Amino acid sequence: MAAEWGGGAGYWGTGPGRSRWRWSGSLWVRSVLLLLGGLRASATSTPVSLGSSPPCRHHVPSDTEVINKVHLKANHVVKRDVDEHLRIKTVYDKSVEELLPEKKNLVKNKLFPQAISYLEKTFQVRRPAGTILLSSLGLYQWSDKVVRKVERLWDVRDNKIIPHTVYLLVTPRVVEEARKHFNCPVLEGMELENQGGMGTELNHWEKRLLENEAMTGSHTQNRVLSRITLALMEDTGWYKANYSMAEKLDWGRGMGCDFVRKSCKFWIDQQRHKRQMLSPYCDTLRSNPLQLTCRQDQRAVAVCNLQKFPKPLPQEYQYFDELTGIPAEDLPYYGGSVEIADYCPFSQEFSWHLSGEYQRNSDCRILENQPEIFKNYGAEKYGPHSVCLIQKSAFVMEKCERKLSYPDWGSGCYQVSCSSQGLKVWVQDTSYLCSRAGQVLPVSIQMNGWIHDGNLLCPSCWDFCEVCPPETDPPAANLTRALPLDLCSCSSSLVATLWLLLGNLFPLLAGFLLCVWH
């Protein structure tokens, strides 16, 4: 299929099996090629020839990326003035005519016409072909109806605000879904990745904003395919999205314009000022022992990925004016371990290893992650209905005069259920009612001959339940619980009682022996 085009060039996706956009003389959409003619030649561009000249120097797809080849002849490309508006002309040759009837009908009468109409009406690429830009990523150019360059005001350390350039995908459905997701009605579009080099930069969503979305540039945890990615696929004109199949993305949901349009330093400082949790970011250094927390969606135990780098980070990624125990001169070296998240520190799930061998990971929903009985200090329960809860204090296992505790603490996995009274937290077979978020639950249960004693922090009922009662102060009966009886107790009162019992039994035993003797 040949096409005339007077627009620019751009790129989305890379590698076999991924959705591909290449606005550089040709347009790839999920293994369908449109050859776009009419690009104005310049001193820096490479002419495209359809005759016997050497092949183009742009990417040539492999056989696995092509479902049907349409061979073009020179007279299929119609020259036109560069000032004309976008017009797309479709020419088919024998390769299309030789398809099976149903495939030929799909290609000629449905697939191409619908996509071309959508491109013309929605993207509105109505400008002359400009100079093709040369960057580290190769040749690209796009319409500002597809990708737009925006300058952000970016907070960094030492109370400085510097300009920060971002590129936003601004197609209609993507803008609509991004605004709804972040609860930011003035958001211009969805930010594209600005790091990672060729294959990642400008090819994926910005990881700082959509951390575990499937189309971010790396997989860190709990990958989901969100409504924003479905909206992009629909905006190409080749797909009709079934949004009921989208997976829930908790990262950034409802956090507002300050979260999506400003640096993570601004968000962290703002949350500190409000005395609220820094989630989804964090400011706890990775250390030994580990200070555990919960993943942003509260489905896994996690650790903050804040670490020290061997060299100072670029100024725009220096976020900390102070960190506990860190000298001021070392602060420029600290940031989150994931570069493409703009070095913003966040909580990540992890795995336990023993002598270099994998033991288990920290996802609460996987039953196989259940700790061994005598290593389950926090009386945790892993499984499909378990979530991560913050531990207000380290759990202690007690038995007679023995006390054991685990050095890595701060969160654990526990089952929850919804009731008319509110959210219930289950520690083994004992339930604790959460009357309000932030309520401290004193936990004391007996398990496998040990007493497990500690404190849990109640999450919000709305995090897990569809219907919740108004928050209230907890009833007095729910504030404390009596300790289970410790059968190994060595208290002086119990010792005295035993001696009295033996004293009363001694005369009876002596009389019995005398009777037997005689």
Side-chain angles (χ1 to χ4, degrees), residues 16-43:
R18 301 188 184 178
S19 299
R20 184 182 298 272
W21 282 96
R22 184 181 292 276
W23 297 81
S24 181
S26 62
L27 166 64
W28 280 91
V29 183
R30 204 65 171 177
S31 299
V32 178
L33 171 66
L34 294 94
L35 182 62
L36 303 177
L39 282 173
R40 181 175 59 193
S42 70

Side-chain angles (χ1 to χ4, degrees), residues 7-291:
Y11 183 82
W12 172 262
T14 184
R18 301 188 184 178
S19 299
R20 184 182 298 272
W21 282 96
R22 184 181 292 276
W23 297 81
S24 181
S26 62
L27 166 64
W28 280 91
V29 183
R30 204 65 171 177
S31 299
V32 178
L33 171 66
L34 294 94
L35 182 62
L36 303 177
L39 282 173
R40 181 175 59 193
S42 70
T44 59
S45 63
T46 303
V48 177
S49 173
L50 298 174
S52 59
S53 303
C56 304
R57 292 179 220 169
H58 62 281
H59 169 74
V60 178
S62 65
D63 290 340
T64 59
E65 295 178 284
V66 179
I67 59 172
N68 184 59
K69 295 180 180 178
V70 181
H71 302 283
L72 300 178
K73 298 179 181 179
N75 60 2
H76 285 174
V77 179
V78 182
K79 295 182 179 180
R80 64 178 180 80
D81 186 88
V82 295
D83 293 326
E84 294 181 13
H85 287 175
L86 172 68
R87 290 205 306 268
I88 299 177
K89 180 180 179 181
T90 308
V91 179
Y92 304 99
D93 69 2
K94 292 181 180 179
S95 61
V96 174
E97 297 298 335
E98 290 172 358
L99 292 173
L100 294 175
E102 60 272 19
K103 289 187 177 180
K104 180 170 67 175
N105 178 65
L106 175 65
V107 170
K108 295 183 68 173
N109 299 329
K110 292 186 179 179
L111 183 60
F112 287 156
Q114 289 178 6
I116 291 169
S117 174
Y118 188 83
L119 289 170
E120 290 178 328
K121 293 178 181 178
T122 304
F123 290 162
Q124 299 175 21
V125 186
R126 308 285 190 201
R127 62 190 178 93
T131 302
I132 294 180
L133 306 176
L134 182 63
S135 76
S136 60
L137 300 181
L139 298 177
Y140 68 92
Q141 187 180 26
W142 46 64
S143 160
D144 59 8
K145 298 293 184 181
V146 179
V147 175
R148 191 173 303 159
K149 179 181 176 180
V150 174
E151 295 287 334
R152 300 290 196 211
L153 295 178
W154 205 246
D155 289 70
V156 296
R157 67 184 299 262
D158 292 333
N159 296 316
K160 293 180 180 178
I161 299 178
I162 62 175
H164 177 71
T165 302
V166 299
Y167 288 90
L168 307 175
L169 199 116
V170 294
T171 54
R173 291 183 179 89
V174 168
V175 171
E176 178 184 358
E177 290 298 332
R179 287 175 174 176
K180 287 194 296 186
H181 178 79
F182 293 105
N183 188 27
C184 179
V186 297
L187 183 61
E188 308 95 319
M190 188 62 237
E191 191 172 324
L192 297 175
E193 184 56 65
N194 64 332
Q195 292 174 284
M198 184 178 293
T200 303
E201 186 176 346
L202 299 176
N203 296 340
H204 294 273
W205 299 131
E206 170 55 53
K207 194 160 186 71
R208 181 187 88 257
L209 299 179
L210 295 180
E211 195 275 317
N212 60 313
E213 218 284 339
M215 283 305 298
T216 56
S218 67
H219 170 61
T220 46
Q221 54 193 0
N222 190 35
R223 183 163 47 197
V224 300
L225 188 68
S226 73
R227 292 178 62 94
I228 297 175
T229 293
L230 294 185
L232 169 63
M233 297 177 72
E234 194 162 14
D235 271 343
T236 67
W238 298 98
Y239 302 95
K240 179 66 177 176
N242 180 358
Y243 288 94
S244 68
M245 299 299 292
E247 297 169 289
K248 184 181 178 183
L249 178 65
D250 291 299
W251 189 277
R253 179 180 297 276
M255 292 189 173
C257 295
D258 285 342
F259 177 84
V260 71
R261 301 175 76 190
K262 295 181 180 293
S263 74
C264 55
K265 173 183 170 35
F266 182 90
W267 177 263
I268 291 172
D269 290 348
Q270 186 182 58
Q271 295 299 99
R272 282 175 176 167
H273 181 72
K274 295 177 181 177
R275 297 186 178 180
Q276 295 180 356
M277 294 182 66
L278 307 184
S279 179
Y281 303 127
C282 57
D283 63 353
T284 306
L285 285 170
R286 288 200 296 192
S287 59
N288 190 17
L290 295 174
Q291 185 171 339

Side-chain angles (χ1 to χ4, degrees), residues 212 221-222 248 250 293-302 349 361-366 369 382-389 412-414 416 459-460 462-465:
N212 60 313
Q221 54 193 0
N222 190 35
K248 184 181 178 183
D250 291 299
T293 184
C294 292
R295 197 172 68 190
Q296 195 264 344
D297 63 356
Q298 297 175 275
R299 295 298 192 275
V301 174
E349 65 181 75
N361 70 38
S362 61
D363 193 321
C364 292
R365 297 166 296 180
I366 300 176
N369 290 335
Y382 284 69
H385 304 293
S386 295
V387 301
C388 180
L389 299 181
C413 295
Y414 302 91
V416 295
S460 170
W462 294 104
D463 289 344
F464 306 108
C465 302

